[in-house]
Amino acid sequence: MDIIYEYDGVTASQRLESFAEEKLNKLHKKFDDIIRADVFLKQENTASDETGMICNIRLSLPGPRIFAEASNQNFEESVIESVSELERQLKKRKDKMKAY
């Protein structure tokens, strides 16, 4: 699985990339048909201190792409939330495929 990182208003961080890669590799072990992951990290000014660090993840696999977005007070929480949302979507998709 290829992982592509894009930053918007945020400096690149090897630590953050390693963290995201670890989480995505765990997801790839469960769902091995994932071809590529695009990780978008950006920071927005918000009124709340609990949001603003945004992580968007788009997975490419056979069929339609899957996308998840999360906004939290730090990027690690946003990555975790996005990956768990993707896992939920992938489980749902896999269950549909088993029905046929």
Side-chain angles (χ1 to χ4, degrees):
M1 172 179 68
D2 294 330
I3 303 174
I4 314 287
Y5 297 95
E6 292 186 31
Y7 296 91
D8 184 10
V10 180
T11 53
S13 166
Q14 185 61 40
R15 183 187 61 80
L16 187 57
E17 287 182 12
S18 297
F19 181 77
E21 185 176 352
E22 176 187 331
K23 298 296 180 187
L24 288 168
N25 282 334
K26 286 181 183 178
L27 194 63
H28 186 251
K29 286 180 183 177
K30 291 181 183 178
F31 306 96
D32 60 350
D33 56 345
I34 299 171
I35 300 166
R36 187 173 108 182
D38 296 307
V39 180
F40 304 95
L41 300 166
K42 64 181 177 180
Q43 183 175 2
E44 284 187 353
N45 293 330
T46 60
S48 173
D49 291 339
E50 297 177 6
T51 60
M53 304 295 180
I54 300 171
C55 175
N56 299 326
I57 302 175
R58 181 177 60 208
L59 295 181
S60 299
L61 57 158
R65 290 183 178 161
I66 295 178
F67 179 80
E69 177 178 10
S71 178
N72 287 298
Q73 61 187 359
N74 62 46
F75 284 117
E76 288 82 3
E77 289 179 19
S78 296
V79 168
I80 290 169
E81 189 176 326
S82 294
V83 169
S84 65
E85 172 63 23
L86 289 169
E87 184 174 8
R88 188 187 66 74
Q89 291 180 38
L90 286 165
K91 283 181 183 176
K92 187 175 178 181
R93 185 177 189 168
K94 196 172 188 177
D95 289 343
K96 278 187 180 180
M97 297 300 276
K98 286 181 182 177
Y100 295 109

